[in-house]
Amino acid sequence: MRILLVEDEPDLGALLQRTLSREKYLVDWVQDGLVAWDYLEQQWAEYSVAVLDWLLPGLSGIELCQRLRQKRCALPVLMLTAKDQRSDLVLGLDAGADDYLVKPFVKTELLARLRALQRRSPSFQPQHIQIGRLVLDYAISGIATMNNSGQRQSIPLTASEFRLLEYMMKHPNQTLSRDQLLTQLWETDAEPISNVVSARIRLLRRKLADCGCAAMIETVHGFGYRLVG
Ligand code: CA
C-alpha cells in the first residue's frame, strides 16, 4: 500500500515516514503543496490514501483536497491539523477530506484511521471507461473523447453531463429509466426540475452528434434511455 504524506514540519514528517514504513506502507513524503500536487496529478491512482497537513507552503492541504475532488478523484484523504475548532474541521470535510486527525495524535490512532480509509480506497477503480469509440478519462475532468480513425476529438461536458454519461457508460446496452438517471443528476436534497433528464440527454446527443455518434443514445419510449456500444 502506497501513501502520499504531505507534511512540512521536518521532524514530524520524518517520524511519520519511519512509523508508516515500519508498518509496511510505501511512503512518498513531500513537504510542499505544489510538489504534492505534481505527485497527485500524475499518479494519484498509485496511492491508497493521501495524508495532508493543513498548513503547507505552496498549496494548503485544503486546496489540494479541493483540486482532487474537482478532478473527480476519489482518493481517500486524511487531513492533519493543529486547528481543533469546529468550523475549521467542517471546512476540511466540505473540501472533500474523508477524515481528520488533530495534532498531537498518537501513532495507534493514525494507523487505525488509515486502515479504515484503506478499506474505502478506490485503487481498484478503473482510470477510464471506454464504450466503442467513446472514452471517459477520470484524469481529465469535464471532457470525454471520441476516437475517430486515430484522431481524438474532445467533447466538453458540464458536471451533470459528465455524471450522466459516466453512469450510462457504466451500464452499457441497458435500458435506464428516467428516475434512475435523475438520481445521477441531482443531489438527494435538491428539488429536481421536470424534464431535466430529457433536456440533458438532448444536449449530450447533440455533443455526440458533433463527433458523428448521435445514435449511441437510444430512446426507449415511455421508459428511458440506453447507451449502445
Ligand atoms: Ca504545516
Side-chain angles (χ1 to χ4, degrees), residues 60-71:
S60 72
I62 291 286
E63 286 168 314
L64 285 171
C65 199
Q66 283 168 336
R67 284 189 176 200
L68 273 176
R69 300 313 182 222
Q70 277 163 11
K71 283 175 74 79

Side-chain angles (χ1 to χ4, degrees), residues 7-9 53 55-56 103:
E7 170 56 71
D8 62 320
E9 292 174 44
D53 188 25
L55 296 174
L56 293 165
K103 295 178 191 174

